[in-house]
Amino acid sequence: MRIVQIKPHYFRAFGDSPPITFDNSLSIYYGANGTGKSSLAEAIEWLIYGFTKRRKKGDEYSKIEYRGSYVNSNCPQGNSPFVEADFIFGDGSTHTLRREIPLTPGGLPRDNESKFFCDGTPLEAISSLGIEVTEAHCPVIVQHGIQDFIHSRPIERYRVISEALGLNDLVVFKDVLAKAKNALRNNPSSPIAQARELLPALCDQLRIAKLDEIAARWEVSAINLTEDFSAIANRARELAGKECQDFNELRNALGIRRAEEIAKLFDISPYRPSQELGHFRKTAIVAIARAKEINADVKTHSEILQAASANAEQAKIVDFLRQGLSLIDQDHPEQCPFCENASLSDARLAVIQQNIKDESTRESAKESFNTSCEELGRSLYDLREAVNAMKVSSLDDANFERLLQLSPRADAQLRTFASQNKAVTQLHDSILSKLKSHIFTAENIKSKLDEPEAFEIQLAELQNAPSELEKQLSEFHDGITSYLDSISLFQATLSASLSNQETIALFDALLRLLESAAHISLIATNSDIDRQLLEAQHSLEYYILGKQNEAVQSREADILEWYSRLSPNPDVRFSGLQPGRNEIALKAEAFGQELNAAASLSQSQLNCLGLSIYIPCVTAPDSPFEFLVFDDPVQAMDDDHHEAFIVNVIPQLIDHVDCQVIVLTHIKETADRIRDCNFTRNYTYSKFDRLEASGPVISENIAIPDDMKHVRRLAEGNDEIRLIAVDRIRVICERIMREVYFRANGSYMPPERNTASSMVPLFGQVPNVTPQMITDIQDTINWSNPAHHTQPGYSPPPSANIRPHIERLQNMINSLGLNT
Amino acid sequence: MPESDLIKNLIDDADNEFLCLLAEIYFALPADSLEAHAAAIANELQKLIEDRANANCPN
């Protein structure tokens, strides 16, 4: 891919700027810092990758600080910033690639995202065109990237070189794993943190259980989950005295055995009711409600009975009459069977029959009354059973003293428990006594039917019983509730006191260890994952090392070759890369001795080394790019390396690698020198004049007349500036001679003619060059010879002495037609 | 980052099974910075620890 032209639109320093066109071979741009050169380089990088390395690195420091930095601050709301460029692909076809920043619903650019298009068709990425683009092939080489390479620790250089070798994603993954491991170690999840907090106490339990070897290992988190818990379970089984299917069963068995052991010391179970309080409450409520219901029936039947009992005599007569009626002669129904007179009139007979019927009703009511009383008795009996189940033993003085001895520190709790025990047992006895009496009355009231006074008293007792009982049971319920609280409190203290007993402590230790299985499993698994993570990290390091070796082997020769072009000193030089697990050693040779390059090479040499690593990555056969952008590539270079970059590297790229070169520099001399050295090639030479709100102002095709304007200004400056003017005059001499030679011959001056004096003979052979011109230019070359600058007592010529040389050159330019 | 062929190749080539698992987790995670990825992987590993701890818990 070669780049033809680009149009950044509100991207970085650019506004609604016109397109920038590139030469197919060489495009040179110079301009002061801050005029937008790097924005051009970044526009190309962002268009291809969707991000820039500078932003990516910045985001690592502070996402907030770099947020929105792709977007020009003057971008109008609702306007999507974009970069669009025309490329000639490897098959000769031309395509327009475009990447734009999407807008939020409010019309603001969202510059952490982008949309990519080829010839107007949306695509996911450039790879959708079948072009494999990797970061290693990035065709934009920026000075800050090279600076990172020079001024970095070995681990950082490892990253930079890995990135250059195309292994950045693996190195990032390695960094991610390292950070993830630290996060796991330093910020464990709360279950793991809790489990770790428990560990020292569990080690103590292991020692109580005589499992000291396991305790020693657990103290250093060396847990063998299966074996350790097998040992703990075996110990627990021995103590429980039975085989168990699982830990639950084992814990239950241990719990029972522990309770037995506690009971041997003091059995507190008789002081607790055998029935649940809730169950008792439910049963009591049901029984009381039933009793009340039955009582209503008892009352109804008793009223009938009471009315009937008043005529108890009549009942005997009715019985007598019933017998008489059965003896009546049906042929003589008026004949009374007892007095044998015809005294049974129809009216009399009707009265007798009514009396018999009434008696029958009374009998029936009596039967119902008896049944209801029996039922009431049964209901009260059930209630008594429920109350019985709530019976607790009374704490006598002897047992009180015994408990005080076993748990001396629970004196107050024991006294509360004892006092409530007394209250509850007394109330319990009272309720039972009442119930016993009521049950007896319910069972025997029927015998009092013939004794109205006694019947009345007993009936009243039964009628009041449910309400009285309800009240007492409510008191009992409240009392037993607080009693249960007090016994629980005391029992916990007692249990803690008894836990100090060796046997109980052993049970408790094993119970806690069995209960801790989930926690210990968590710690063991955490350690296991930590170990596996460490092994995975090592494995990844070796994997990367292998990939680095492959990459270095395939590229080292190229890197050394580019380095030799850039660094002409053969005595002290970079000699190769040596990948390691966490660093890539840079080897150097100084006078035949192998050295560490980072420590031995100059900054300038390291700068060259950086370029030597990047250039072959971009120009590798698998790279899709046939262009290279250098953004201020020679900042840290001394004159020799600077010259070597211009003379050896750029021509090599253009002529032998067939690579389109775009150079951005803030040093005019560098730009000029590149232009002069590539005089024989196609190039464009442009200047970033200034940065305005609407974007960089770029002037195209700076030519000899511009140089003349520049040097006229320099000639009027101070000593230092005038010295530069003298140098520039010499450079203009070279440019005039090259340009004249090219125009006359249609070919470029041979490369070996690379000094002004060496060009003069060829310049003199051009037909329209006069002898006076040859003399003049030779004189000006001699006058501007930099060798004079180092002579003792040399001082820059005054402006008045410079001007004649400028005028001489201006006349020559005019005469030779070079002023357009 | 995770779309890289390098990570895909690592998943295919690496001998260490746990490394492959980590690479798969990394590959599948949506995150836009090294820190976010590290936090997400640590979170996934914590889940893995809890799941394995439950599965391996002696009972």
Side-chain angles (χ1 to χ4, degrees):
Chain A
M1 287 169 72
R2 297 175 98 89
I3 185 164
V4 180
Q5 68 164 15
I6 191 166
K7 177 178 169 55
H9 179 79
Y10 289 109
F11 180 85
R12 301 284 289 148
F14 288 89
D16 187 12
S17 307
I20 298 166
T21 304
F22 301 103
D23 186 87
N24 193 44
S25 293
L26 175 64
S27 301
I28 309 158
Y29 293 89
Y30 92 89
N33 287 333
T35 51
K37 299 187 303 298
S38 292
S39 292
L40 175 60
E42 288 182 27
I44 297 170
E45 188 183 359
W46 183 76
L47 170 63
I48 295 167
Y49 291 96
F51 60 83
T52 63
K53 286 179 192 163
R54 182 181 179 185
R55 169 73 177 267
K56 206 167 163 183
K57 193 172 177 183
D59 279 350
E60 281 175 20
Y61 296 136
S62 166
K63 271 188 177 305
I64 294 170
E65 199 169 331
Y66 281 80
R67 185 185 297 153
S69 61
Y70 288 143
V71 182
N72 186 283
S73 55
N74 294 307
C75 180
Q77 191 165 358
N79 203 319
S80 267
F82 66 82
V83 175
E84 190 173 85
D86 293 338
F87 289 89
I88 301 172
F89 280 33
D91 61 2
S93 60
T94 302
H95 298 278
T96 302
L97 303 185
R98 176 188 171 104
R99 188 179 291 280
E100 66 180 41
I101 294 173
L103 300 177
T104 63
L108 296 172
R110 202 165 44 211
D111 84 334
N112 56 342
E113 294 173 28
S114 66
K115 291 192 283 190
F116 184 74
F117 302 86
C118 177
D119 298 328
T121 306
L123 294 175
E124 204 164 298
I126 198 166
S127 57
S128 309
L129 297 166
I131 299 170
E132 284 304 318
V133 171
T134 68
E135 283 186 55
H137 296 142
C138 179
V140 181
I141 298 178
V142 294
Q143 180 58 33
H144 63 78
I146 298 170
Q147 289 293 317
D148 283 350
F149 179 75
I150 300 164
H151 305 290
S152 59
R153 290 178 296 167
I155 185 68
E156 286 157 353
R157 197 178 300 120
Y158 169 87
R159 292 195 183 97
V160 174
I161 297 177
S162 296
E163 184 179 317
L165 294 174
L167 303 173
N168 189 43
D169 287 349
L170 288 173
V171 175
V172 169
F173 180 43
K174 181 175 165 237
D175 290 345
V176 164
L177 289 190
K179 279 185 183 289
K181 191 177 76 182
N182 286 341
L184 270 185
R185 283 186 176 176
N186 302 330
N187 303 301
S189 65
S190 63
I192 291 172
Q194 283 168 7
R196 281 185 185 156
E197 276 177 24
L198 287 174
L199 199 55
L202 292 171
C203 289
D204 293 343
Q205 306 302 325
L206 282 166
R207 290 209 163 81
I208 291 170
K210 311 285 184 221
L211 295 165
D212 294 42
E213 184 269 327
I214 298 175
R217 279 193 290 104
W218 282 22
E219 273 170 352
V220 291
S221 294
I223 299 164
N224 189 332
L225 199 61
T226 312
E227 282 181 19
D228 294 351
F229 270 92
S230 174
I232 292 166
N234 284 340
R235 190 89 180 83
R237 281 189 205 102
E238 282 171 20
L239 209 60
K242 64 181 282 195
E243 285 299 319
C244 295
Q245 293 291 321
D246 55 33
F247 281 14
N248 268 341
E249 199 181 329
L250 193 51
R251 280 203 301 270
N252 288 338
L254 273 184
I256 291 165
R257 285 281 297 115
R258 181 188 187 277
E260 288 168 4
E261 290 298 322
I262 290 267
K264 282 181 193 169
L265 296 165
F266 189 92
D267 187 6
I268 205 158
S269 61
Y271 299 94
R272 282 186 167 279
S274 60
Q275 186 177 238
E276 285 287 318
L277 182 60
H279 180 69
F280 162 70
R281 187 166 182 273
K282 209 166 147 184
T283 311
I285 288 170
V286 170
I288 292 285
R290 179 79 185 125
K292 282 181 176 176
E293 195 181 313
I294 298 165
N295 242 348
D297 292 342
V298 168
K299 193 178 177 191
T300 308
H301 298 312
S302 71
E303 282 167 1
I304 299 167
L305 272 175
Q306 278 173 314
S309 296
N311 300 316
E313 281 299 319
Q314 192 184 355
K316 289 179 183 172
I317 292 166
V318 169
D319 191 42
F320 172 77
L321 290 174
R322 191 183 287 123
Q323 287 177 31
L325 284 179
S326 66
L327 300 173
I328 286 173
D329 183 355
Q330 296 301 320
D331 293 333
H332 301 283
E334 71 287 351
Q335 192 75 24
C336 171
F338 299 117
C339 64
E340 296 181 351
N341 289 329
S343 55
L344 291 178
S345 62
D346 287 345
R348 177 64 185 153
L349 203 55
V351 168
I352 290 169
Q353 283 171 337
Q354 182 60 44
N355 284 343
I356 290 170
K357 192 179 173 186
D358 289 348
E359 174 58 12
S360 175
T361 304
R362 195 184 75 91
E363 282 295 321
S364 171
K366 185 180 171 186
E367 201 174 312
S368 297
F369 175 77
N370 288 342
T371 304
S372 295
C373 287
E374 281 166 18
E375 210 173 321
L376 180 63
R378 276 198 296 277
S379 166
L380 293 172
Y381 185 82
D382 289 345
L383 188 58
R384 191 179 69 173
E385 288 302 300
V387 172
N388 252 335
M390 294 306 287
K391 181 177 172 59
V392 295
S393 292
S394 173
L395 184 65
D396 59 22
D397 291 347
N399 278 326
F400 180 86
E401 288 302 323
R402 169 85 176 125
L403 284 174
L404 201 56
Q405 277 176 358
L406 286 170
S407 187
R409 282 182 296 177
D411 180 76
Q413 288 171 354
L414 175 58
R415 286 184 194 287
T416 307
F417 155 59
S419 129
Q420 294 195 355
N421 172 271
K422 191 174 177 183
V424 163
T425 48
Q426 281 177 353
L427 189 55
H428 187 266
D429 288 349
S430 161
I431 294 169
L432 275 184
S433 165
K434 285 268 169 61
L435 276 166
K436 190 178 172 187
S437 161
H438 296 327
I439 291 165
F440 180 82
T441 303
E443 284 171 352
N444 294 291
I445 191 167
K446 59 189 176 193
S447 63
K448 301 293 180 190
L449 280 171
D450 296 334
E451 301 170 40
E453 280 182 24
F455 181 82
E456 277 294 326
I457 292 166
Q458 290 191 351
L459 187 63
E461 180 196 326
L462 288 181
Q463 289 296 301
N464 293 331
S467 301
E468 279 177 10
L469 284 168
E470 190 174 26
K471 195 177 161 193
Q472 275 193 307
L473 285 170
S474 171
E475 277 175 41
F476 179 72
H477 179 267
D478 293 346
I480 200 114
T481 302
S482 357
Y483 171 70
L484 287 172
D485 287 345
S486 72
I487 195 172
S488 294
L489 202 62
F490 171 70
Q491 202 172 355
T493 314
L494 177 68
S495 181
S497 301
L498 297 180
S499 293
N500 292 330
Q501 305 276 334
E502 198 176 336
T503 318
I504 304 302
L506 181 57
F507 277 104
D508 288 345
L510 286 163
L511 277 165
R512 278 192 203 167
L513 287 167
L514 290 174
E515 281 161 8
S516 74
H519 293 302
I520 297 300
S521 178
L522 206 52
I523 295 173
T525 311
N526 188 57
S527 299
D528 190 44
I529 293 285
D530 187 79
R531 179 187 54 74
Q532 287 189 50
L533 188 52
L534 194 65
E535 286 172 6
Q537 282 180 292
H538 288 161
S539 182
L540 179 59
E541 282 170 3
Y542 283 109
Y543 183 83
I544 295 173
L545 183 61
K547 293 283 173 194
Q548 281 169 338
N549 276 321
E550 278 174 28
V552 165
Q553 273 170 20
S554 67
R555 290 181 189 169
E556 193 171 46
D558 276 348
I559 293 169
L560 286 170
E561 197 179 321
W562 283 105
Y563 182 79
S564 67
R565 284 194 187 98
L566 277 160
S567 191
N569 181 355
D571 296 327
V572 180
R573 62 185 182 85
F574 165 70
S575 60
L577 301 170
Q578 189 171 1
R581 274 172 55 201
N582 283 308
E583 62 175 49
I584 294 179
L586 305 174
K587 294 182 291 178
E589 259 180 38
F591 302 100
Q593 294 293 315
E594 190 167 292
L595 299 166
N596 184 309
S600 314
L601 298 183
S602 67
Q603 282 208 356
S604 182
Q605 286 170 313
L606 287 169
N607 195 129
C608 294
L609 177 53
L611 280 174
S612 308
I613 291 173
Y614 281 117
I615 292 172
C617 290
V618 184
T619 58
D622 57 341
S623 166
F625 301 113
E626 294 167 89
F627 70 96
L628 220 164
V629 182
F630 291 104
D631 183 9
D632 262 342
V634 293
Q635 265 184 35
M637 288 186 188
D638 59 23
D639 287 350
D640 286 349
H641 292 115
H642 176 261
E643 182 67 8
F645 173 74
I646 293 169
V647 173
N648 297 335
V649 172
I650 294 177
Q652 177 71 17
L653 284 167
I654 297 170
D655 296 341
H656 300 288
V657 184
D658 193 21
C659 183
Q660 179 189 15
V661 175
I662 298 164
V663 181
L664 302 157
T665 177
H666 72 285
I667 308 167
K668 184 169 189 313
E669 285 70 24
T670 303
D672 287 346
R673 183 77 183 124
I674 294 171
R675 177 195 58 194
D676 295 342
C677 288
N678 292 283
F679 192 73
T680 57
R681 300 176 180 88
N682 292 332
Y683 69 89
T684 60
Y685 185 44
S686 311
K687 182 185 176 191
F688 279 70
D689 272 331
R690 61 194 178 280
L691 183 65
E692 294 183 348
S694 58
V697 176
I698 305 170
S699 54
E700 301 280 346
N701 298 320
I702 295 169
I704 291 172
D706 294 306
D707 271 353
M708 290 301 290
K709 279 184 208 164
H710 186 56
V711 83
R712 280 178 200 282
R713 282 198 299 275
L714 295 174
E716 303 305 319
N718 60 21
D719 280 7
E720 202 177 331
I721 300 291
R722 292 201 310 282
L723 193 58
I724 296 171
V726 173
D727 282 341
R728 292 305 305 158
I729 286 171
R730 187 182 176 80
V731 171
I732 293 171
C733 289
E734 290 177 8
R735 295 201 60 200
I736 290 170
M737 289 188 285
R738 279 201 183 100
E739 185 73 28
V740 168
Y741 181 88
F742 176 75
R743 292 189 185 188
N745 297 289
S747 62
Y748 302 110
M749 199 170 275
E752 64 272 16
R753 303 278 178 163
N754 57 3
T755 63
S757 292
S758 69
M759 295 175 189
V760 175
L762 294 182
F763 174 66
Q765 291 172 9
V766 175
N768 53 346
V769 171
T770 64
Q772 184 59 46
M773 287 178 185
I774 297 167
T775 307
D776 286 350
I777 206 161
Q778 186 62 63
D779 180 54
T780 299
I781 290 166
N782 292 341
W783 171 81
S784 62
N785 188 345
H788 299 320
H789 301 181
T790 55
Q791 285 174 358
Y794 175 83
S795 61
S799 301
N801 288 358
I802 299 174
R803 282 187 214 115
H805 286 281
I806 294 174
E807 292 314 316
R808 173 189 276 171
L809 292 181
Q810 188 62 58
N811 290 336
M812 207 178 295
I813 288 164
N814 294 342
S815 301
L816 294 169
L818 301 177
N819 50 0
T820 54
Chain B
M1 279 184 276
E3 300 91 37
S4 160
D5 283 346
L6 286 172
I7 304 295
K8 284 184 196 165
N9 292 341
L10 173 68
I11 293 168
D12 293 339
D13 299 344
D15 295 332
N16 184 307
E17 281 183 23
F18 195 66
L19 177 59
C20 292
L21 174 69
L22 291 167
E24 280 170 9
I25 293 171
Y26 177 65
F27 195 75
L29 283 176
D32 58 0
S33 73
L34 196 144
E35 279 69 24
H37 263 119
I41 287 197
N43 192 36
E44 289 296 316
L45 287 177
Q46 277 181 346
K47 282 187 210 160
L48 184 70
I49 289 167
E50 284 170 25
D51 289 349
R52 285 195 184 174
N54 279 335
N56 298 333
C57 182
N59 59 12

